[in-house]
CSV table of all heavy atoms in Angstrom, one decimal:
chain,number,residue,atom,x,y,z
A,1,LYS,N,5.4,15.6,14.0
A,1,LYS,CA,6.7,15.2,13.4
A,1,LYS,C,6.7,13.7,13.3
A,1,LYS,O,6.6,13.0,14.4
A,1,LYS,CB,7.9,15.7,14.1
A,1,LYS,CG,7.9,17.3,14.2
A,1,LYS,CD,9.0,17.8,15.0
A,1,LYS,CE,8.9,19.4,15.1
A,1,LYS,NZ,10.0,20.0,15.9
A,2,ALA,N,6.8,13.1,12.1
A,2,ALA,CA,6.6,11.7,11.9
A,2,ALA,C,7.3,11.2,10.7
A,2,ALA,O,8.2,11.9,10.2
A,2,ALA,CB,5.1,11.4,11.8
A,3,ASP,N,7.0,10.0,10.3
A,3,ASP,CA,7.5,9.4,9.1
A,3,ASP,C,6.6,9.8,7.9
A,3,ASP,O,5.7,10.7,8.1
A,3,ASP,CB,7.5,7.9,9.2
A,3,ASP,CG,6.1,7.3,9.3
A,3,ASP,OD1,5.2,8.0,9.7
A,3,ASP,OD2,5.9,6.1,9.0
A,4,MET,N,6.8,9.3,6.7
A,4,MET,CA,5.8,9.4,5.7
A,4,MET,C,5.6,8.1,5.0
A,4,MET,O,6.5,7.6,4.3
A,4,MET,CB,6.3,10.5,4.6
A,4,MET,CG,5.2,10.7,3.5
A,4,MET,SD,5.6,11.8,2.2
A,4,MET,CE,5.4,13.4,3.1
A,5,ASP,N,4.4,7.6,5.1
A,5,ASP,CA,4.0,6.5,4.3
A,5,ASP,C,3.3,7.1,3.1
A,5,ASP,O,2.8,8.2,3.1
A,5,ASP,CB,3.0,5.6,5.0
A,5,ASP,CG,3.7,4.8,6.1
A,5,ASP,OD1,4.9,4.5,6.0
A,5,ASP,OD2,3.0,4.4,7.1
A,6,ILE,N,3.2,6.3,2.0
A,6,ILE,CA,2.7,6.8,0.7
A,6,ILE,C,1.2,6.3,0.5
A,6,ILE,O,1.0,5.2,0.5
A,6,ILE,CB,3.5,6.3,-0.5
A,6,ILE,CG1,5.0,6.6,-0.2
A,6,ILE,CG2,3.0,7.0,-1.8
A,6,ILE,CD1,5.3,8.1,0.0
A,7,ASP,N,0.3,7.3,0.4
A,7,ASP,CA,-1.1,7.1,0.1
A,7,ASP,C,-1.2,7.1,-1.4
A,7,ASP,O,-1.0,8.1,-2.1
A,7,ASP,CB,-1.9,8.1,0.8
A,7,ASP,CG,-3.4,7.8,0.6
A,7,ASP,OD1,-3.8,7.0,-0.2
A,7,ASP,OD2,-4.2,8.4,1.4
A,8,CYS,N,-1.6,6.0,-2.0
A,8,CYS,CA,-1.9,5.9,-3.4
A,8,CYS,C,-3.3,5.6,-3.7
A,8,CYS,O,-3.7,5.2,-4.8
A,8,CYS,CB,-1.0,4.8,-4.0
A,8,CYS,SG,0.0,5.3,-5.5
A,9,ASP,N,-4.2,5.9,-2.7
A,9,ASP,CA,-5.6,5.6,-2.9
A,9,ASP,C,-6.3,6.6,-3.8
A,9,ASP,O,-5.7,7.7,-4.1
A,9,ASP,CB,-6.3,5.5,-1.5
A,9,ASP,CG,-5.8,4.3,-0.7
A,9,ASP,OD1,-5.3,3.4,-1.3
A,9,ASP,OD2,-6.0,4.4,0.5
A,10,GLY,N,-7.5,6.4,-4.1
A,10,GLY,CA,-8.3,7.3,-4.9
A,10,GLY,C,-8.5,6.9,-6.3
A,10,GLY,O,-8.5,5.7,-6.6
A,11,ARG,N,-8.6,7.9,-7.2
A,11,ARG,CA,-8.8,7.6,-8.6
A,11,ARG,C,-7.7,6.9,-9.2
A,11,ARG,O,-6.5,7.4,-9.1
A,11,ARG,CB,-9.1,9.0,-9.3
A,11,ARG,CG,-9.7,8.8,-10.7
A,11,ARG,CD,-10.3,10.1,-11.2
A,11,ARG,NE,-9.3,11.0,-11.6
A,11,ARG,CZ,-9.0,12.2,-10.9
A,11,ARG,NH1,-9.7,12.5,-9.8
A,11,ARG,NH2,-8.1,13.0,-11.4
A,12,PRO,N,-7.9,5.7,-9.8
A,12,PRO,CA,-6.7,5.0,-10.3
A,12,PRO,C,-6.0,5.7,-11.4
A,12,PRO,O,-6.6,6.5,-12.2
A,12,PRO,CB,-7.4,3.7,-10.9
A,12,PRO,CG,-8.7,3.6,-10.2
A,12,PRO,CD,-9.2,5.1,-10.0
A,13,SER,N,-4.7,5.5,-11.5
A,13,SER,CA,-3.8,6.1,-12.5
A,13,SER,C,-2.7,5.1,-12.8
A,13,SER,O,-2.6,4.0,-12.3
A,13,SER,CB,-3.2,7.4,-11.9
A,13,SER,OG,-2.3,7.1,-10.9
A,14,ALA,N,-1.8,5.5,-13.7
A,14,ALA,CA,-0.7,4.7,-14.1
A,14,ALA,C,0.2,4.4,-12.9
A,14,ALA,O,0.8,3.3,-12.8
A,14,ALA,CB,0.1,5.3,-15.2
A,15,ARG,N,0.3,5.3,-12.0
A,15,ARG,CA,1.2,5.2,-10.8
A,15,ARG,C,0.5,4.6,-9.6
A,15,ARG,O,1.1,4.1,-8.7
A,15,ARG,CB,1.8,6.5,-10.5
A,15,ARG,CG,2.6,7.0,-11.7
A,15,ARG,CD,3.3,8.3,-11.4
A,15,ARG,NE,4.1,8.8,-12.6
A,15,ARG,CZ,3.6,9.5,-13.6
A,15,ARG,NH1,2.3,9.9,-13.5
A,15,ARG,NH2,4.3,9.8,-14.6
A,16,CYS,N,-0.8,4.8,-9.5
A,16,CYS,CA,-1.6,4.3,-8.3
A,16,CYS,C,-2.7,3.4,-8.8
A,16,CYS,O,-3.8,3.9,-9.3
A,16,CYS,CB,-2.1,5.5,-7.5
A,16,CYS,SG,-0.8,6.5,-6.7
A,17,ASN,N,-2.6,2.1,-8.6
A,17,ASN,CA,-3.6,1.2,-9.0
A,17,ASN,C,-3.3,-0.1,-8.2
A,17,ASN,O,-2.4,-0.2,-7.5
A,17,ASN,CB,-3.6,1.0,-10.5
A,17,ASN,CG,-2.2,0.6,-11.0
A,17,ASN,OD1,-1.7,-0.5,-10.7
A,17,ASN,ND2,-1.6,1.4,-11.9
A,18,ARG,N,-4.1,-1.1,-8.5
A,18,ARG,CA,-4.0,-2.4,-7.8
A,18,ARG,C,-2.8,-3.2,-8.1
A,18,ARG,O,-2.3,-4.0,-7.3
A,18,ARG,CB,-5.3,-3.3,-8.0
A,18,ARG,CG,-6.5,-2.7,-7.5
A,18,ARG,CD,-7.7,-3.7,-7.6
A,18,ARG,NE,-9.0,-3.0,-7.3
A,18,ARG,CZ,-9.4,-2.7,-6.1
A,18,ARG,NH1,-8.6,-3.1,-5.0
A,18,ARG,NH2,-10.5,-2.1,-5.9
A,19,THR,N,-2.1,-2.9,-9.2
A,19,THR,CA,-0.9,-3.5,-9.6
A,19,THR,C,0.3,-2.9,-8.9
A,19,THR,O,1.2,-3.6,-8.4
A,19,THR,CB,-0.7,-3.5,-11.1
A,19,THR,OG1,-1.7,-4.1,-11.8
A,19,THR,CG2,0.7,-4.1,-11.5
A,20,THR,N,0.3,-1.5,-8.8
A,20,THR,CA,1.5,-0.9,-8.2
A,20,THR,C,1.4,-0.8,-6.7
A,20,THR,O,2.4,-0.6,-6.0
A,20,THR,CB,1.6,0.6,-8.8
A,20,THR,OG1,0.4,1.3,-8.4
A,20,THR,CG2,1.7,0.6,-10.3
A,21,ASP,N,0.2,-1.0,-6.2
A,21,ASP,CA,0.0,-0.8,-4.7
A,21,ASP,C,-0.9,-1.9,-4.2
A,21,ASP,O,-2.1,-2.0,-4.4
A,21,ASP,CB,-0.7,0.5,-4.5
A,21,ASP,CG,-1.0,0.8,-3.0
A,21,ASP,OD1,-0.5,0.0,-2.1
A,21,ASP,OD2,-1.6,1.8,-2.7
A,22,PRO,N,-0.3,-2.9,-3.4
A,22,PRO,CA,-1.1,-4.0,-2.8
A,22,PRO,C,-2.1,-3.5,-1.8
A,22,PRO,O,-3.0,-4.3,-1.5
A,22,PRO,CB,0.0,-4.8,-2.2
A,22,PRO,CG,1.1,-3.9,-1.9
A,22,PRO,CD,1.1,-2.9,-3.0
A,23,TRP,N,-2.1,-2.3,-1.3
A,23,TRP,CA,-3.1,-1.8,-0.4
A,23,TRP,C,-4.1,-0.9,-1.0
A,23,TRP,O,-4.9,-0.2,-0.4
A,23,TRP,CB,-2.4,-1.0,0.8
A,23,TRP,CG,-1.4,-1.8,1.5
A,23,TRP,CD1,-1.6,-2.7,2.5
A,23,TRP,CD2,0.1,-1.8,1.3
A,23,TRP,NE1,-0.4,-3.2,3.0
A,23,TRP,CE2,0.6,-2.7,2.2
A,23,TRP,CE3,0.9,-1.1,0.4
A,23,TRP,CZ2,2.0,-2.9,2.3
A,23,TRP,CZ3,2.3,-1.4,0.5
A,23,TRP,CH2,2.8,-2.3,1.4
A,24,PHE,N,-4.1,-0.8,-2.4
A,24,PHE,CA,-4.8,0.2,-3.1
A,24,PHE,C,-6.3,0.1,-2.8
A,24,PHE,O,-6.9,-0.9,-2.7
A,24,PHE,CB,-4.6,0.0,-4.6
A,24,PHE,CG,-5.4,1.0,-5.4
A,24,PHE,CD1,-5.0,2.3,-5.5
A,24,PHE,CD2,-6.6,0.6,-6.0
A,24,PHE,CE1,-5.8,3.2,-6.3
A,24,PHE,CE2,-7.4,1.5,-6.8
A,24,PHE,CZ,-6.9,2.8,-6.9
A,25,GLN,N,-6.9,1.3,-2.5
A,25,GLN,CA,-8.4,1.5,-2.4
A,25,GLN,C,-8.8,2.6,-3.4
A,25,GLN,O,-8.2,3.6,-3.5
A,25,GLN,CB,-8.7,1.9,-1.0
A,25,GLN,CG,-8.4,0.9,0.1
A,25,GLN,CD,-9.2,-0.4,0.0
A,25,GLN,OE1,-10.3,-0.4,-0.4
A,25,GLN,NE2,-8.6,-1.5,0.3
């Protein structure tokens, strides 16, 4: 039982990329 941080890593998309996510991998 914990918090939830958002993982946006993986294949880039309109919602998950280096612009939307400063931690993006």
